[in-house]
Amino acid sequence: MKHTMIVTLALAATAASAIEFETPEIGADIIMEYLHFSGDSTYSDQGYYTADQNRYRIRKVAIHIEGRAGDYISYFGEAGIASCGGGSNISVKDAGIFVDPLDLPFRIGIGQLHAARGFSMLEECGAMLLLEKPRWAKTLAPSCHALGSITEFEVGLGSAGSFSSQLGYFNGSSSTVEADWDFVGWLQYHTPVEGLSLGGFYEKLHIEMDPEVEGYEEAERFGVGVDMSNGALEARAEYISMTGIPIASKIFGIESGCADIENTGLLFQAGYTIDPDLTWVTGVRPYAGYQIWDRWSNADEGDWRFSWLEAGVQVNVETDSWITIGWRGPAGTPDDQPEDSSVLVVRMGTEI
């Protein structure tokens, strides 16, 4: 047995040498914050009204690795703690291994990552302009980091820009594809204008929306958007439409069943980086955002539109650290619904 293990390890080492593993890139993100609420209740990530209080919080602490194994295989992984995943347990956030030829703009593999449900949903925590994902994010994608098969490709158009795409088939909330599943298709056009892109996605889900309704039901999402990111200007507009919502996202007063409820979301955001020409401050970026979430957009009558304003400033310290002070508050609330608390966030982050 001992000799068999030695031989096995020797063969594995020989195979690894033949594949020519490159030294991977290893890094870490640390993001901490303080939250101050104007009241003692707020809308949760799922959209229901719940108690909340001032607190310090670990927004994200994670270690990530990325690299290649020869000319045809690439891989990445990230594990850590994030408030969007519960904030207390270490877990794998992203991971994937791909057939990814160096000389082809194409890769296919299995991974756990943000599916391409628009520009905002593609972004990693800490890389967003606004404090958090759009207010409807958990309704749009109950499983943010889904596990499934992924295909990505890019097509160059010369001076006319390029197209990139992602197709994904993911596990449902039961962590299988037996009864519930999730299919997402994304197409992005990178225009000849530096940093300017147009994108759109379509998503088909088979999910259990309401425990009182037997079996799984179909839901649909689609969205379009325009994004500008040229190093100085960060601007975005996105529109999202959802048919069928989880019961956690159904608010008081909605009479239709979960499968028949439609939601729409509209997001605008913009920020501009200013170089203050200081020794330790490498950039100051004031920003603002506005979101509208119509939580029963196909209702015959009534107002179901919630809206929020956000504004703040991000100060980049040296190269890979930043301090953000941001505020978000309700701009519009239906008459018969409780008003969201505004929140002031002081966030500090660094990349290692």
Side-chain angles (χ1 to χ4, degrees):
M1 183 67 178
K2 180 178 179 180
H3 295 296
T4 302
M5 291 179 62
I6 293 173
V7 171
T8 302
L9 290 172
L11 290 173
T14 302
S17 176
I19 294 177
E20 297 180 356
F21 278 88
E22 300 177 3
T23 302
E25 296 181 5
I26 300 175
D29 297 325
I30 302 174
I31 305 174
M32 304 289 183
E33 62 188 9
Y34 172 73
L35 297 88
H36 180 82
F37 294 91
S38 63
D40 57 5
S41 298
T42 186
Y43 284 95
S44 72
D45 291 339
Q46 286 75 27
Y48 58 85
Y49 204 61
T50 184
D52 214 336
Q53 295 180 331
N54 305 337
R55 63 189 183 276
Y56 291 93
R57 184 172 71 170
I58 297 175
R59 181 61 186 86
K60 181 180 180 182
V61 175
I63 297 174
H64 47 86
I65 182 172
E66 183 176 358
R68 297 194 62 89
D71 294 338
Y72 297 96
I73 302 295
S74 66
Y75 60 89
F76 67 90
E78 181 179 79
I81 297 172
S83 61
C84 59
S88 58
N89 298 318
I90 297 176
S91 62
V92 175
K93 303 300 178 185
D94 293 299
I97 183 167
F98 292 85
V99 176
D100 185 6
L102 280 173
D103 56 348
L104 293 176
F106 166 87
R107 69 176 187 172
I108 183 170
I110 296 175
Q112 177 174 300
L113 77 166
H114 290 120
R117 303 178 180 96
F119 291 105
S120 297
M121 296 297 288
L122 267 172
E123 291 180 320
E124 295 291 339
C125 300
M128 302 172 292
L129 180 64
L130 301 183
L131 291 170
E132 298 291 350
K133 302 278 188 180
R135 300 294 286 162
W136 53 83
K138 289 294 185 181
T139 302
L140 176 65
S143 299
C144 182
H145 298 256
L147 179 63
S149 58
I150 302 161
T151 302
E152 297 177 333
F153 68 86
E154 191 168 329
V155 176
L157 302 175
S159 60
S162 65
F163 281 102
S164 61
S165 178
Q166 182 191 94
L167 295 174
Y169 181 60
F170 301 96
N171 289 340
S173 57
S174 66
S175 299
T176 71
V177 290
E178 290 298 318
D180 53 338
W181 42 262
D182 185 358
F183 170 80
V184 184
W186 161 259
L187 184 64
Q188 181 175 349
Y189 172 52
H190 308 267
T191 74
V193 179
E194 181 183 1
L196 180 62
S197 294
L198 310 175
F201 77 95
Y202 175 78
E203 180 176 18
K204 190 82 169 182
L205 304 93
H206 204 232
I207 59 175
E208 184 180 25
M209 299 182 216
D210 188 343
E212 296 183 1
V213 177
E214 184 178 354
Y216 294 84
E217 299 173 279
E218 289 190 353
E220 289 183 308
R221 282 92 171 90
F222 77 87
V224 293
V226 56
D227 184 80
M228 166 61 80
S229 179
N230 62 9
L233 176 63
E234 300 280 340
R236 177 178 300 160
E238 285 193 284
Y239 171 81
I240 303 293
S241 176
M242 299 172 272
T243 301
I245 64 171
I247 194 169
S249 296
K250 184 178 177 180
I251 58 174
F252 174 78
I254 293 182
E255 300 169 355
S256 292
C258 291
D260 300 319
I261 297 169
E262 296 180 9
N263 279 204
T264 57
L266 189 61
L267 177 146
F268 299 97
Q269 64 180 48
Y272 191 82
T273 301
I274 304 167
D275 184 0
D277 195 23
L278 297 175
T279 302
W280 60 280
V281 176
T282 58
V284 176
R285 182 168 65 182
Y287 73 90
Y290 179 64
Q291 303 177 55
I292 303 173
W293 184 8
D294 190 336
R295 301 184 65 176
W296 197 11
S297 57
N298 59 325
D300 292 333
E301 58 184 22
D303 178 17
W304 303 93
R305 290 182 297 274
F306 294 76
S307 58
W308 294 265
L309 280 170
E310 182 173 332
V313 61
Q314 178 179 308
V315 179
N316 296 324
V317 182
E318 295 184 339
T319 306
D320 299 313
S321 300
W322 67 93
I323 300 170
T324 297
I325 300 176
W327 172 90
R328 185 187 67 225
T333 305
D335 291 338
D336 56 347
Q337 300 294 330
E339 187 174 77
D340 199 7
S341 295
S342 61
V343 57
L344 176 68
V345 179
V346 180
R347 177 177 292 172
M348 300 180 69
T350 188
E351 299 176 1
I352 302 171

